[in-house]
């Protein structure tokens, strides 16, 4: 015999008040200033409910009431604003060679930034210590205490599962502290939202980059190693263990063969050209002790150096195969090339797009990110703000959230 359907929970006054507060706060986080009338229209709530909820949110610290201003007729309408100074969030990018920390207000505006090199780090614990020191520096620069931080979004160059654990199946991924989130919370008191760096880059690009209003998106971090973040209908794809978008499969792709990114290929091929005495190239004058940087290759190509132009042509062909494969698998509207190499990679677009059309009948649009090397930390801020907006009514302002 079939069981009768479960009785839904009774909507208590406390529950309804909480739901209504969430509606009002959700509108105010997206708007600059709203009148009581505007909130009534946006939420569908009654005037009495809107004003009662706003009074509650004002007492909690989430909303401030502004001067209603002058009006020629009738009683002036109350004006409300989301209190972007109610707390702060952190966006932390823990890269293989550098850590960057952004301190942001609740509108996502950067208050302070700090960065430290991690090029000489030998253990995951040392990397975590550098993150800790960079956080202290950024907070001091912002004049913000740990008690004023509501949450930190943190990106690492490794898959992260749904429980916030770093996948350590690969040697490169093991460079990051498996207890990173727990350790940072113990040191500072605020919750830590650990996420893959390419996923955060995708959030950042969707929020403030070239992919605004694009919900079917792939962001390729293309510096030292290729990594991708995938967004379908506005939702990040993670996979069962956080591995969606990992690019190890590139080792199986003809004409690619590994996960090496644009910066690494440019640097290695440029250095190899300089080491060959039979090759005539202006890169030899730019090289430092025989080492060529990716930036020097792009600069030499811009000046017409034939060797550098050939290197970029090879990189464009290789990158076109990467984008075509991702495009065929996920059919995005847009693929964005991101990371520190993005600005220089704009030079690749004409050749890349020409070759891309030969690999797939449905090539995605390709763009380069305008966020530069801040793309992951900006996405980490967005990730933290999403958490604040979803859990605002459970957060205690002015003290460490439980």
């Amino acid at each position: 015999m079939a069981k009768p359907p479960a009785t839904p929970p009774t909507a208590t006054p406390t529950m309804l008040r909480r739901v209504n507060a969430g509606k009002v706060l959700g509108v105010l986080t997206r708007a600059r200033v709203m009148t009581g009338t505007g909130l009534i229209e946006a939420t569908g709530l009654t005037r009495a409910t809107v004003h009662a909820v706003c009074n509650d949110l004002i007492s909690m610290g989430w909303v401030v009431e502004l001067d209603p201003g002058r009006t020629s007729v009738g009683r002036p309408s109350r004006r409300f604003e989301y209190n972007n100074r109610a707390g702060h969030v952190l966006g932390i990018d823990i890269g293989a060679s550098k850590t960057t920390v952004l301190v942001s207000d609740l509108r996502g505006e950067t208050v302070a930034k700090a960065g430290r090199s991690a090029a000489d780090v030998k253990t995951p614990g040392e990397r975590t210590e550098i993150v800790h020191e960079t956080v202290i520096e950024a907070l001091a620069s912002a004049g913000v205490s740990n008690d004023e931080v509501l949450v930190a979004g943190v990106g690492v160059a490794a898959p992260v599962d749904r429980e916030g654990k770093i996948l350590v199946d690969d040697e490169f991924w093991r460079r990051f502290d498996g207890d990173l989130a727990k350790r940072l919370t113990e040191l500072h008191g605020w919750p830590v939202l650990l996420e893959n760096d390419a996923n955060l880059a995708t959030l950042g690009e969707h929020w403030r980059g070239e992919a605004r209003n694009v919900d079917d998106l792939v962001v390729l971090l293309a510096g030292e190693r290729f990594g991708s973040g995938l967004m379908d209908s506005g939702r990040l794809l993670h996979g069962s263990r956080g591995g969606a978008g990992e690019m190890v499969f590139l080792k199986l792709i003809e004409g690619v063969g590994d996960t090496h990114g644009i910066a690494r290929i440019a640097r290695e091929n440029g250095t190899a050209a300089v080491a060959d005495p039979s090759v005539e190239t202006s890169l030899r004058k730019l090289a430092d002790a025989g080492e060529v940087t990716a930036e020097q290759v792009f600069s030499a190509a811009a000046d017409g150096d034939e060797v550098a132009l050939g290197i970029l042509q090879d990189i464009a062909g290789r990158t076109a195969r990467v984008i075509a494969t991702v495009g065929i698998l996920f059919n995005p509207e847009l693929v964005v090339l991101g990371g520190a190499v993005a600005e220089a990679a704009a030079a690749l677009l004409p050749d890349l797009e020409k070759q891309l059309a030969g690999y797939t009948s449905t090539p995605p649009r390709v763009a380069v990110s305008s966020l530069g090397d801040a793309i992951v930390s900006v996405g980490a801020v967005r990730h933290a703000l999403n958490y604040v907006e979803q859990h605002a009514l459970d957060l205690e302002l002015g003290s460490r959230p439980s």
Side-chain angles (χ1 to χ4, degrees), residues 300-346:
D303 291 337
D305 183 270
E306 291 296 329
V307 171
L309 286 169
I311 291 172
L312 294 198
Q313 186 175 28
D314 290 343
I315 290 174
R318 187 174 182 276
T319 305
R321 289 173 180 264
V322 173
I323 293 174
T325 304
V326 171
I328 292 168
L329 289 172
F330 300 105
N331 193 219
E333 174 185 342
L334 174 67
V335 172
V336 178
L337 294 174
V341 74
E343 183 177 357

Side-chain angles (χ1 to χ4, degrees), residues 93-99 123-125 127-128 131 155-159 166-168 170-180 194 197:
D93 175 14
I94 307 176
S97 60
K98 183 181 179 181
T99 289
T123 68
R127 191 180 306 278
T128 298
V131 176
V156 294
I166 297 174
L167 191 63
V168 293
D170 181 89
E171 181 182 352
F172 183 83
W173 303 337
R174 286 193 288 273
R175 299 183 186 186
F176 301 93
D177 188 349
D179 289 324
L180 176 64
L194 204 59
D197 59 350

Side-chain angles (χ1 to χ4, degrees), residues 89-109:
V89 300
L90 302 183
I92 304 175
D93 175 14
I94 307 176
S97 60
K98 183 181 179 181
T99 289
T100 302
V101 176
L102 297 184
V103 182
S104 168
D105 68 15
L106 299 186
R107 287 283 186 195
E109 300 305 319

